[in-house]
Amino acid sequence: MYKQPTDLLNVLPPELVGYIFHLWLLDSIYPNTKYWHSQLPVLLCLVSKSWRDFVYASPFLWVHVIIEASQDAVPALHALRKRLKRSQSAPLFLDIVVGEHPDRVALRMLLAESSRFRHLTLSVLDLSWCDDIPTQGFTQLSKLTVHTGFQIVPPVVKLDAVFSSALHLRYVKWLSTGDPGPVGVNGHQLHSLDLTVFYIPGKHEYTPISPRGRVLLPELRSLVLDGTGEIACFLRSIRAPLLSCLDIKWWHYNGHEGALEALRSLLAYSPHLEEIALRKFLITEDGLISIITNYEHILRFTVATEGWQTSFITQRTFELLTRREHGKYALPYLEKLEFRAAFDVPDDVVLRMIESRKSPEHDVACTLKSICLDGCKPMAEESVSRLQAICQESGLKAEGTFVGRNNVSISTSIIAAKARTSYFSFLFDPEAVILWFRKLLLGRR
């Protein structure tokens, strides 16, 4: 006997339905946004009239706008206008690409809603439109990503008005060869800064700067720096007393003069730093040792080197990291260690360090919870067996080429995670939710 399909909106509270729809949209759109993702709410409208009415009346389902605002690239201005209208007064999350020939009509329509922008990703090759379209009033903007490509020194000063009007800006990601000066407008309020540094005007030679002469970033917690020698200039010109996470990636193997000293000058004024990642930044083991012996409060430490640095890490580093019952050792609170480097250290030295990090009950120091040694040769089979026993006893997660050429991981949590998979996949897997919708509509529940 045919059973009438059940309408989801008749059996679940509208708030829950809206929340489920919103999660599905977020999972579909991010992190790899596509232009057609803006039309995803329309797919929900195709299910039934009740769904269409519900989606059209739900502003938060229309707030994610992904668009290329270049000439002949905007599908239909009237559709964009309707979308903005359906979002009513809800905060907007935009991903805007502007090519070499901006569509000024579309940009003017979008920027007329600037007071509602919450997150904005702006990928732009041509900034000429800033001269005749107002770029102010970003009063709700909390997250801003700027990508100007890697053209030679783009006129990013045209974005000053965006930064100066964003009174609630907390996160900035800057991908540009231009002077990152506009970022400094909001430096006092930023919590997270992801900066690609290619050009900083002024002198580049190392000159010590007193604390008072540095730019104070009083609220900054996370700092990510990509670039070349300009990174050193930035490191020695700022002060971030609340900084807890620092990630540096050096793009070229040369130009490291003064880099380590610049890093030390920043760390000297960052007493709360807990996580450091240095990728292709250090060039000698002495530099590495100076970091691990002078900054004992680090909880998570990552070092990656160039392929040619085959003897960068030696037995010295592992012995310094080995906990001793009496005597000083490096990074006593370390929880996560990651070395991505080609090194040749005896298995027993590596295992001795790992085993020593199992914290005795009376010791307040943290236990090592995760270790990744990648780029090195695999350990012998008996050493891997010994490591497995350590992991089983202490709960340590070990991964990387040192446990096998296939980069497998050893962890006591794998079995438990598999046991939970079916339950959590239903809660968070969009396909599982959609299947549940389908069964519900067919009256099978």
Side-chain angles (χ1 to χ4, degrees), residues 174-247:
W174 180 271
L175 295 160
S176 176
T177 56
D179 175 13
V183 178
V185 174
N186 309 85
H188 65 284
Q189 64 193 41
L190 294 181
H191 289 187
S192 179
L193 177 59
D194 188 334
L195 203 61
T196 299
V197 185
F198 281 102
Y199 173 75
I200 296 178
K203 297 181 179 180
H204 294 174
E205 64 271 10
Y206 177 72
T207 53
I209 301 177
S210 66
R212 288 188 177 182
R214 293 169 176 262
V215 176
L216 177 62
L217 304 176
E219 300 296 330
L220 193 67
R221 271 76 166 178
S222 175
L223 176 61
V224 179
L225 296 173
D226 282 13
T228 55
E230 309 291 349
I231 288 178
C233 303
F234 187 83
L235 289 173
R236 62 174 175 260
S237 64
I238 65 169
R239 184 159 52 100
L242 296 183
L243 188 66
S244 62
C245 177
L246 175 64
D247 190 328

Side-chain angles (χ1 to χ4, degrees), residues 317-379:
T317 297
F318 282 89
E319 288 178 345
L320 284 170
L321 289 170
T322 301
R323 176 180 293 159
R324 292 172 174 78
E325 188 173 348
H326 302 289
K328 189 176 181 180
Y329 57 94
L331 304 182
Y333 304 101
L334 188 66
E335 295 180 354
K336 181 179 180 181
L337 177 65
E338 185 174 341
F339 283 160
R340 296 190 178 273
F343 60 84
D344 187 4
V345 176
D347 293 355
D348 62 319
V349 174
V350 175
L351 291 173
R352 189 184 309 123
M353 184 277 291
I354 294 175
E355 197 162 22
S356 74
R357 289 284 174 164
K358 295 189 300 181
S359 181
E361 293 182 2
H362 63 275
D363 196 338
V364 297
C366 293
T367 301
L368 186 65
K369 299 175 182 177
S370 174
I371 183 169
C372 175
L373 304 179
D374 202 34
C376 56
K377 69 175 185 178
M379 295 194 300

Side-chain angles (χ1 to χ4, degrees), residues 59-132:
F60 57 89
L61 296 179
W62 300 94
V63 298
H64 298 273
V65 180
I66 302 100
I67 186 172
E68 181 177 358
S70 304
Q71 288 183 8
D72 302 323
V74 180
L77 288 174
H78 71 275
L80 176 60
R81 187 178 293 107
K82 284 184 178 180
R83 182 184 192 86
L84 293 173
K85 185 177 180 180
R86 288 180 186 133
S87 66
Q88 298 181 21
S89 59
L92 295 173
F93 301 79
L94 296 99
D95 193 320
I96 304 174
V97 175
V98 184
E100 295 181 349
H101 304 286
D103 187 325
R104 282 172 162 75
V105 177
L107 285 169
R108 188 172 280 107
M109 186 183 300
L110 288 167
L111 291 171
E113 306 290 337
S114 61
S115 63
R116 293 202 285 138
F117 287 13
R118 181 66 57 83
H119 293 178
L120 172 61
T121 296
L122 185 61
S123 303
V124 55
L125 294 178
D126 186 333
L127 286 163
S128 62
W129 51 272
C130 295
D131 296 330
D132 48 57

Side-chain angles (χ1 to χ4, degrees), residues 214-319:
R214 293 169 176 262
V215 176
L216 177 62
L217 304 176
E219 300 296 330
L220 193 67
R221 271 76 166 178
S222 175
L223 176 61
V224 179
L225 296 173
D226 282 13
T228 55
E230 309 291 349
I231 288 178
C233 303
F234 187 83
L235 289 173
R236 62 174 175 260
S237 64
I238 65 169
R239 184 159 52 100
L242 296 183
L243 188 66
S244 62
C245 177
L246 175 64
D247 190 328
I248 300 177
K249 181 180 179 182
W250 202 275
W251 283 30
H252 300 292
Y253 66 87
N254 56 1
H256 286 72
E257 297 81 5
L260 183 58
E261 195 62 37
L263 174 61
R264 288 174 180 153
S265 71
L266 172 67
L267 298 183
Y269 303 109
S270 304
H272 300 287
L273 196 63
E274 296 182 343
E275 181 172 355
I276 297 182
L278 303 174
R279 310 175 198 277
K280 303 181 182 180
F281 181 83
L282 299 170
I283 56 175
T284 67
E285 187 177 30
D286 287 340
L288 169 61
I289 289 174
S290 72
I291 297 296
I292 66 175
T293 55
N294 288 307
Y295 306 99
E296 64 175 19
H297 293 290
I298 296 174
L299 301 181
R300 294 169 291 279
F301 188 53
T302 298
V303 171
T305 65
E306 295 277 7
W308 54 267
Q309 294 176 281
T310 55
S311 58
F312 176 79
I313 298 175
T314 69
Q315 188 168 330
R316 289 172 59 205
T317 297
F318 282 89
E319 288 178 345

